[in-house]
Structure formats: C-alpha cells, structure tokens
Amino acid sequence: MKRLAILISAVFVTFGSVFTASAQGKFGPDSAQCLIYLSYYQEYYKQKNFDSALPNWRKAYAICPGTASQNMFIHGSTLLKREIDRNRRKNPEYAEALIDSLLTLQDQRLIFYPNLKGKSQKATILNNKGQYMINYRNADSRYLYDNLGAITAELGNETTSNILVNYLQSSINLYRDGELTADDVIRVYDIVTEDITTAVAKNEKEAEDDANAKAAIESLFADSKVASCDNLLAIFGPRYDADPENISLLQNIVKLMNSAEGCTSNDLYFRAVTSLHKNDPSYRSAYGLYMLNASRGHTQEAVHYLEEAIAYEESDDETDAQYYYTLANFAYSNGLRAKAAEAARKAVDLGYGYAGRAYMILGNLWASASCVDDVDKYARYWAATDYYVKARNADESLADNAAASIANVSRNYPEASEIFMYDLSAGQSYTVSCGGLSATTTVRVSK
C-alpha cells in the first residue's frame, strides 16, 4: 500500500497542472478519484495481481468516463474473462452477469475508441466480441446466429474465420431444430464462403486459419444435408427463372449442384451451366458443356463445345492433347469417322501421353472402314495393323491391347496366292484410300 500511496502522489504531481483545464473533461467530474483508481488497478495489473486489480478496475470503470483510458476497456476485458472462467461452474448466475458486462465493454470501447492512430479498430473490437460470444454463449444457437450474423454483416471479409464457421454452424443447428429453412442456411453459406474466399490474411497464421476454416465450412455444409438436390431445385429454380443472366447466381447454382449428390443431370443445372458459359466463357466451361451435352446424347452440340474448348488460347498444349483424344474417342463412338481421325492425328502430334491411345483409335477406324475395292478390303486391315503397332511402340501399357487387336485383324489377311492375282506380294508398299481415310501401308498375307 505504501508503494501505491507514493504512486498516487506522483499521479497528482504529474496531472496537477492539468486538473484546472482539460482533466475535468477527460477524467470526468470526479477526476481525482478516477485517477486514483486508474492508478491502483494499473499497478496491480502490471504486477499480475489480478485479484487486487479487479475491484480497483471496477471502481475506475464506475467513476471514470470512457475517455479516461482505452486500457480501461482492454485490461477490463482480461480481468472479466478471468473472473468468468473462475465462476462459470461454481456461480453460473454471477458468471452470466460478468459475460454481459464483458460484451458491453466491447460496445463501449467501440464508442470511445473507434480509431487508433488514424486506423479503424472496428474489426478488432467486433471480432473480439464475436469470439467472446462463441466462448461463453455457444449453447444458444439463436443468440449466435443473430449476433454473429450482425457482426459478419458489419465486417464482411474482415470477419475472423472462426466467427464465420460458427455463424454457419448456428444456422445449421437452427435448421435441424426447424427454426430456419434450407434457403436461410444456403444464404448464410453464400455469405461466409464469399467472406472467407475474399479475406486478406495478414500473416501465415491467418492464412492457415482461413484455409482450415474454408475446409470446415465446406464440410459443415456437406454434412448438413441442406444442399439436397430437391432443396436446391426448389430454391434456385424460381431464382433462375427470375434472373437467368445473374452471373453470381449462376455460379452458385453450378457450385452447389456440383457438390450435391446426383444433381447434375437436371434441366436447371444444364441451363445454368449454359447461361454461365454464355456470360463468362472459358475453356473449362466449354469442356463442362461438352460433358453435359454428351451425357444427354446431344452429339453435335458436344463436339461443338469440345472444339470450342480447344480453340481457347488459355488452354495449354497438354490440355489440348487431352481434349483432342477425348474428341477422337467421342467422335469414333458416335460414328463421326472423319472427325475422329482428324482429332486422333492432332492428339498424336501434341503427344503428352495420348499418342498411343490415339493410334489405337486410328487402328480401329481402319479396321472398321467400309472398303469395297477387292484389294482395299484387305488393305484396311494392313493399315489398322500399322496403327496398332504404333500404339504399342508409343505406349507400352497398350501392348496387350494392341497385340489382341493385331491378332484380330490378321485373321482377315489374304492368302499369298490371292494377293498374287493383283500383282502384289508380302512386304510391298501399298496406298489405300477408302471410307474417308487414306494411308500408305505394307502388304501382309496370312500365315
């Protein structure tokens, strides 16, 4: 106490010349008592004697106006949290009153100290308040939903990741209790996803927290079963009809339906993807439309979108090689022989591991070619063999498949005596052209 008495004297010496002027405004009408208790609690606080600091802080908080010291709010929060944690089990009613005081303290701090050195403190203060709500009121989903929602609406992407996660969780809890609709939860999901995606991390720790929160948000939403296909169709069907050019809405429909089980074969998804590509085209969206149209049996449309995907400059050669092979395979399966041959050759030219499979398609095209000329009806099998050999040489994983195909077509080779009738012999070069295909091959005979 002697030390505190000396400190108080020092305070009066320091501020004595101020009392007659500005001190009355900053420290209130009872400025002397305000300064005394500020000094008392601060000295105890510095010594980490929190038990003694608390009653003196309470006196200071009761006597001093908010303008007296920002530390009165910061230190007070620490002292109240400590007291809450000590009393939550043994004296819950008292702890609840302390929680109310702690939250009110944040509101007061925001009123009196909204800025520090010209920089807004709103995000820091409201995020602290939100975290206290999560810590001490987490059993009340309605309370968290209302209050964390208000903080999120105020701060946007400055909201801390933990608040965003808990805001979504509270909405899911209320949905399960029948207090919110699926539409309400999806709205919250939209908000928190946007905020966490656009958040700017100040350091590596925040970046890691944001990444973890993003994963948690996706997991919570998936596990909630809110985004069932039936719910999504009921919610987004009318929205799409009302505003089919809204890119944000289209992106949301596509994203959510992609994440819902079995929800990409309906007309709404198809129309949303088509509208999104129209408004925000890319090679990826074009490829997505190829897959959708292919699955619906829209052959010409599927080819159109796949060729459009290839034409984009943004797609690199490796992607184009994959797309060309996909096009060759699709066109072959749908009887578009010339298109299949053209795409297969381009896949071979680009390489990237697709040459072997493209050669197999070319071999299959020749093996199934419609050739009526007496020699060409055999020559098609010779050309097919050439491509199967190329496939085997380009990709050893195709060796067995290529060997089986060669064995299959070789059964159609002519006898040596038969081919002799055409003034040809085994090993001779021969150019064949039929069924829209042309190739120079080698005469082969059955053994």
Side-chain angles (χ1 to χ4, degrees):
M1 182 60 71
K2 181 177 180 181
R3 182 176 178 183
L4 285 175
I6 295 171
L7 178 65
I8 293 166
S9 298
V11 168
F12 277 104
V13 170
T14 303
F15 291 100
S17 60
V18 184
F19 286 164
T20 57
S22 64
Q24 287 290 333
K26 181 177 182 180
F27 297 104
D30 199 354
S31 56
Q33 288 295 300
C34 172
L35 284 165
I36 288 172
Y37 285 108
L38 280 176
S39 301
Y40 274 164
Y41 104 75
Q42 287 174 357
E43 183 62 23
Y44 283 127
Y45 191 92
K46 290 176 185 177
Q47 297 173 16
K48 299 189 183 303
N49 184 351
F50 299 126
D51 288 340
S52 297
L54 180 60
N56 287 285
W57 172 83
R58 280 179 167 147
K59 278 285 191 178
Y61 187 68
I63 296 171
C64 300
T67 54
S69 169
Q70 180 174 205
N71 279 337
M72 185 168 62
F73 299 100
I74 298 172
H75 294 161
S77 297
T78 301
L79 294 171
L80 289 179
K81 283 189 296 178
R82 182 174 178 274
E83 190 72 358
I84 291 166
D85 293 339
R86 292 171 63 184
N87 285 276
R88 290 188 78 186
R89 289 187 179 181
K90 64 181 181 181
N91 195 347
E93 290 186 5
Y94 174 52
E96 277 300 307
L98 292 173
I99 293 168
D100 287 337
S101 297
L102 176 64
L103 297 175
T104 300
L105 207 60
Q106 313 316 306
D107 296 333
Q108 292 296 304
R109 180 185 174 190
L110 186 58
I111 291 171
F112 288 102
Y113 299 96
N115 301 298
L116 179 64
K117 297 180 179 178
K119 186 177 180 180
S120 174
Q121 293 196 97
K122 181 168 69 174
T124 297
I125 296 169
L126 289 182
N127 280 320
N128 285 345
K129 183 180 180 182
Q131 189 57 55
Y132 298 150
M133 291 174 176
I134 294 167
N135 291 347
Y136 300 123
R137 296 279 168 81
N138 59 353
D140 190 340
S141 293
R142 171 57 69 175
Y143 177 87
L144 288 184
Y145 174 76
D146 291 340
N147 288 280
L148 297 185
I151 290 173
T152 302
E154 184 72 21
L155 298 182
N157 66 359
E158 290 186 281
T159 311
T160 58
S161 57
N162 195 42
I163 290 177
L164 296 176
V165 171
N166 278 273
Y167 180 31
L168 177 61
Q169 180 67 74
S170 67
S171 72
I172 292 170
N173 292 344
L174 292 174
Y175 169 74
R176 288 171 176 161
D177 292 341
E179 295 186 42
L180 291 182
T181 66
D183 201 0
D184 293 327
V185 179
I186 290 172
R187 179 189 62 81
V188 174
Y189 172 75
D190 289 345
I191 292 170
V192 299
T193 300
E194 174 69 17
D195 287 344
I196 199 67
T197 301
T198 59
V200 179
K202 300 182 181 68
N203 49 55
E204 290 185 8
K205 177 65 167 58
E206 277 195 13
E208 182 180 351
D209 288 345
D210 288 348
N212 290 337
K214 192 170 185 179
I217 287 167
E218 296 299 334
S219 178
L220 282 172
F221 190 65
D223 291 344
S224 72
K225 307 301 181 185
V226 170
S228 69
C229 199
D230 288 343
N231 280 344
L232 295 177
L233 287 168
I235 292 167
F236 287 109
R239 293 189 192 179
Y240 175 85
D241 292 339
D243 194 5
E245 303 299 316
N246 185 321
I247 292 179
S248 178
L249 173 64
L250 296 171
Q251 289 173 333
N252 211 18
I253 292 172
V254 172
K255 178 181 69 173
L256 291 174
M257 288 192 163
N258 272 328
S259 65
E261 185 176 352
C263 203
T264 59
S265 59
N266 59 78
D267 286 341
L268 176 59
Y269 181 79
F270 180 79
R271 285 181 289 149
V273 172
T274 304
S275 295
L276 184 59
H277 178 70
K278 177 184 174 183
N279 286 280
D280 187 20
S282 71
Y283 73 92
R284 290 188 178 89
S285 61
Y287 185 78
L289 279 170
Y290 148 71
M291 292 191 293
L292 280 177
N293 280 280
S295 68
R296 288 169 168 249
H298 302 165
T299 303
Q300 294 300 328
E301 292 86 349
V303 170
H304 165 76
Y305 281 115
L306 191 46
E307 290 182 324
E308 183 180 332
I310 295 169
Y312 277 94
E313 293 183 1
E314 291 83 357
S315 62
D316 56 26
D317 285 348
E318 184 173 1
T319 301
D320 287 346
Q322 176 199 341
Y323 287 178
Y324 273 126
Y325 168 71
T326 301
L327 177 57
N329 199 39
F330 178 77
Y332 172 69
S333 299
N334 286 276
L336 304 176
R337 299 175 60 81
K339 182 69 67 179
E342 177 189 13
R345 293 189 191 101
K346 290 181 178 179
V348 167
D349 291 340
L350 287 172
Y352 291 100
Y354 295 96
R357 284 172 282 176
Y359 279 135
M360 288 297 297
I361 291 174
L362 289 166
N364 293 338
L365 284 166
W366 272 110
S368 59
S370 177
C371 302
V372 296
D373 183 82
D374 287 342
V375 177
D376 288 353
K377 67 182 180 182
Y378 298 120
R380 59 179 172 163
Y381 298 118
W382 304 336
T385 300
D386 291 338
Y387 282 113
Y388 292 143
V389 170
K390 288 180 179 180
R392 179 187 63 198
N393 294 338
D395 187 346
E396 61 181 15
S397 70
L398 298 173
D400 290 343
N401 191 14
S405 296
I406 291 170
N408 185 52
V409 297
S410 65
R411 287 195 287 268
N412 298 292
Y413 293 169
E415 297 288 338
S417 58
E418 185 178 1
I419 205 68
F420 179 75
M421 300 289 292
Y422 299 100
D423 197 24
L424 294 171
S425 59
Q428 188 175 340
S429 178
Y430 181 82
T431 299
V432 57
S433 181
C434 65
L437 302 173
S438 179
T440 298
T441 185
T442 302
V443 175
R444 293 176 173 88
V445 297
S446 61
K447 297 181 181 179

